[in-house]
Amino acid sequence: MNVDSRIDALRNTMIEARATAAIVSTATNMRYLTAFEGVIDRGINAACVVTETSARFFTDSRYIEAATAAAQGSLWQVHQQKENLYVEVCELLHSEGHSSLALESSVPYGRFSFISEQFRGAVRVMNRLVEEIRCVKEAEEIDRMTAAAAIADRGFDHILGVLATGKTEAEVALELEFFMRRNGSEEMPFAPIVASGPNASRPHAIPGERRIESGDLVVLDFGARFGGYCSDMTRTVAVGEVSDELTRMYDAVLEANEAGLAAVRAGMPCVEVDLAAREVLGRHGLGEYFTHGLGHGVGLDVHEMPTIGARSSHSLREGDVVTIEPGVYVDGVAGVRIEDLVAVNETGYELLTHSPKELIRV
Ligand code: ZN
Ligand code: ZN
């Protein structure tokens, strides 16, 4: 992982923000900037403090040993906080003469208020201070997502043997999670979605006690995590014989997925990728049932930049890793979604999700 270039990119953003110091304190942004393994979790009390000449990582006694080991050979200097992290950091920055500070827009409001009170100078909240930098992935990051996607593919293959009438959505979701954890996934990037029959009309349905019935379409949306990096995929499976209407819905979504993928390449505006899939569903008279954007970036978080939707302002760049996930949701009837994870390159994309996409009947 090229940590030096990440720190340099942050410094360039600080120059744009006319800030001579930055405090980065959200877990995934810290994880990205430091590339520390086995240090940063959601419970950590820590901050990356970057100036033009220094890169310091502050944390408390619970994490200090792991952080010191992880920082060996890197630009990061590890400091143990004593009393209050932000009081100490603001004092230090003041003593070094800093009068302008950049913060992430994602910091909780309470922390923002506290730092604003402590820091004797201008505090600038930067929208996506680190998130912009995280968009384009290095080869090592893509390798980790490829491994995560492969675990999820195996999970799908496994769950095809588990899906059956009479099973509850919650049972299937739990089995999927167990399988992926047993087969190399770290903590789930998000709770697997298993939505059957009419429940599938809610794109982010929570798996419940509904028992799968013959004639259902079941939407399975899940991912694994490897080396800190997430994957995200969706497949929709038929249980027993499904109606011709549902099969037509499936075929239309598959065609939209393929049209979206065909539009993926570096330089392509995200709105046009979204439109390529949306047009297909419109042609099938299903446009009004496609109620979300076509895709999103994936990385350390399962939802990252760029967004691929009707209002996106980005164009795809080489190294972006994004999902292509058209869906159709008919209230109280059914839902279909097919989601692939791809790494964008100059001529198109590298497919990271390899599970079959023809309608599978179990
Ligand atoms: Zn998904
Ligand atoms: Zn997704």
Side-chain angles (χ1 to χ4, degrees):
M1 301 286 184
N2 193 345
V3 171
D4 296 5
S5 75
R6 296 175 185 185
I7 295 171
D8 282 344
L10 176 62
R11 287 183 175 136
N12 287 336
T13 309
M14 286 156 54
I15 292 167
E16 281 167 39
R18 287 174 288 114
T20 60
I23 299 179
V24 171
S25 60
T26 61
T28 35
N29 284 341
M30 289 193 290
R31 161 85 203 230
Y32 180 77
L33 285 179
T34 61
F36 288 170
E37 305 277 343
V39 177
I40 295 161
D41 63 24
R42 275 174 303 199
I44 198 169
N45 179 38
C48 293
V49 182
V50 175
T51 70
E52 286 149 21
T53 54
S54 66
R56 288 170 287 197
F57 182 78
F58 288 80
T59 190
D60 63 36
S61 57
R62 297 170 301 162
Y63 295 90
I64 203 74
E65 186 185 340
T68 305
Q72 290 298 320
S74 84
L75 286 181
W76 288 96
Q77 302 166 319
V78 174
H79 295 259
Q80 184 171 348
Q81 67 162 93
K82 293 171 195 78
E83 296 286 325
N84 183 297
L85 174 61
Y86 297 109
V87 170
E88 279 175 49
V89 167
C90 289
E91 257 326 303
L92 179 72
L93 291 175
H94 180 70
S95 73
E96 292 174 347
H98 293 283
S99 59
S100 54
L101 173 67
L103 293 181
E104 306 151 283
S105 52
S106 48
V107 295
Y109 183 71
R111 188 184 304 160
F112 163 77
S113 310
F114 187 79
I115 293 172
S116 300
E117 282 164 21
Q118 295 296 318
F119 185 76
R120 283 168 271 174
V123 175
R124 302 204 166 90
V125 172
M126 293 291 294
N127 196 19
R128 298 163 177 164
L129 179 65
V130 182
E131 285 82 348
E132 283 276 2
I133 306 168
R134 284 167 48 188
C135 250
V136 171
K137 270 71 181 177
E138 297 166 24
E140 167 74 27
E141 295 177 285
I142 295 174
D143 286 349
R144 292 182 186 201
M145 278 183 273
T146 302
I151 295 168
D153 278 332
R154 290 178 63 196
F156 179 66
D157 188 54
H158 170 75
I159 214 66
L160 289 174
V162 171
L163 266 183
T165 54
K167 290 266 169 67
T168 69
E169 296 169 341
E171 279 176 83
V172 175
L174 186 61
E175 179 55 32
L176 189 51
E177 183 165 345
F178 263 130
F179 181 89
M180 290 190 292
R181 294 296 307 270
R182 269 196 226 103
N183 284 275
S185 179
E186 298 151 12
E187 182 188 30
M188 291 286 99
F190 59 99
I193 295 169
V194 176
S196 64
N199 290 348
S201 69
R202 300 171 206 156
H204 273 202
I206 295 168
E209 292 310 307
R210 184 182 186 277
R211 288 185 190 280
I212 293 166
E213 294 173 14
S214 182
D216 280 351
L217 285 178
V218 181
V219 172
L220 304 138
D221 185 346
F222 56 98
R225 191 190 290 272
F226 186 83
Y229 285 79
C230 306
S231 71
D232 185 12
M233 66 172 282
T234 307
R235 289 294 183 265
T236 302
V237 175
V239 177
E241 282 303 312
V242 297
S243 69
D244 290 350
E245 189 195 351
L246 295 185
T247 305
R248 275 196 299 274
M249 248 168 77
Y250 187 92
D251 291 344
V253 173
L254 180 55
E255 193 184 328
N257 167 278
E258 283 164 351
L261 286 172
V264 171
R265 64 180 167 276
M268 184 65 98
C270 291
V271 281
E272 288 186 29
V273 181
D274 179 85
L275 192 62
R278 207 165 288 280
E279 274 176 352
V280 170
L281 292 171
R283 224 183 312 119
H284 287 281
L286 296 167
E288 66 180 294
Y289 302 107
F290 178 26
T291 48
H292 53 72
L294 182 65
H296 54 86
V298 179
L300 287 167
D301 285 319
V302 72
H303 291 117
E304 291 197 355
M305 294 173 61
T307 299
I308 303 177
R311 288 186 298 278
S312 305
S313 54
H314 282 79
S315 290
L316 292 176
R317 286 176 290 181
E318 181 156 23
D320 283 343
V321 176
V322 296
T323 66
I324 297 295
E325 50 178 308
V328 161
Y329 312 94
V330 183
D331 256 15
V333 179
V336 176
R337 180 165 65 257
I338 301 170
E339 173 179 31
D340 289 318
L341 188 64
V342 300
V344 179
N345 60 35
E346 276 303 320
T347 51
Y349 59 88
E350 180 196 343
L351 195 59
L352 306 189
T353 309
H354 296 289
S355 292
K357 287 195 278 192
E358 76 277 2
L359 182 57
I360 294 172
R361 289 185 175 80
V362 297

